[in-house]
Amino acid sequence: MKARLPKGYGGGGANNIQQLARQAQKIQDDMEAANKELETKEYEAAAGGGAVKVTVTGKMELVKVDISPEVVDPEDVEMLSDLVMAAANEALRTAAKEKEERMDSISGGLNIPGMF
């Protein structure tokens, strides 16, 4: 007994492989374009009720730190460090989340090794 493939599958041979290769190339091109766009984008987050604000890029680089003068206490440098860390980590999480969501929307949720 011969196994039957569902309608629309098989019979195409090389044509199906070429079509699949074109689709994979388009997904890769779209992902590269989105990645370049996201790398130039900036993300801002704040901590301590806005006392510390940081800006990071989609390349996950810290590019700006704004510290309100009221928060600078020479007796409590540790608190200021914590606020800077909290704001930076939040901005980085936001950038990473947007990148992941954008790549998932392009690839349809496929995990393609070596793509990104």
Side-chain angles (χ1 to χ4, degrees):
M1 177 176 201
K2 256 185 159 176
R4 291 190 196 166
L5 293 173
K7 206 173 199 177
Y9 288 90
N15 288 337
N16 284 347
I17 291 172
Q18 288 174 347
Q19 183 180 5
L20 184 60
R22 282 193 300 272
Q23 287 174 340
Q25 184 63 49
K26 182 181 180 339
I27 289 172
Q28 185 174 9
D29 292 345
D30 290 350
M31 290 178 88
E32 286 176 10
N35 194 47
K36 285 180 183 175
E37 177 189 333
L38 290 170
E39 284 180 351
T40 63
K41 196 167 179 181
E42 291 188 347
Y43 302 86
E44 186 178 287
V52 174
K53 295 178 186 172
V54 300
T55 305
V56 299
T57 66
K59 287 184 177 182
M60 306 302 171
E61 295 173 343
L62 183 63
V63 293
K64 187 176 181 183
V65 177
D66 287 324
I67 300 172
S68 177
E70 305 87 59
V71 194
V72 181
D73 180 0
E75 302 296 318
D76 196 4
V77 175
E78 187 176 338
M79 183 209 46
L80 181 57
S81 295
D82 290 344
L83 290 174
V84 171
M85 244 187 329
N89 285 330
E90 182 59 32
L92 290 168
R93 277 191 293 275
T94 302
K97 182 179 178 187
E98 182 172 346
K99 181 177 182 176
E100 181 181 343
E101 288 172 353
R102 187 68 127 352
M103 295 303 156
D104 281 351
S105 73
I106 292 170
S107 69
L110 293 175
N111 184 6
I112 305 170
M115 291 288 269
F116 289 98

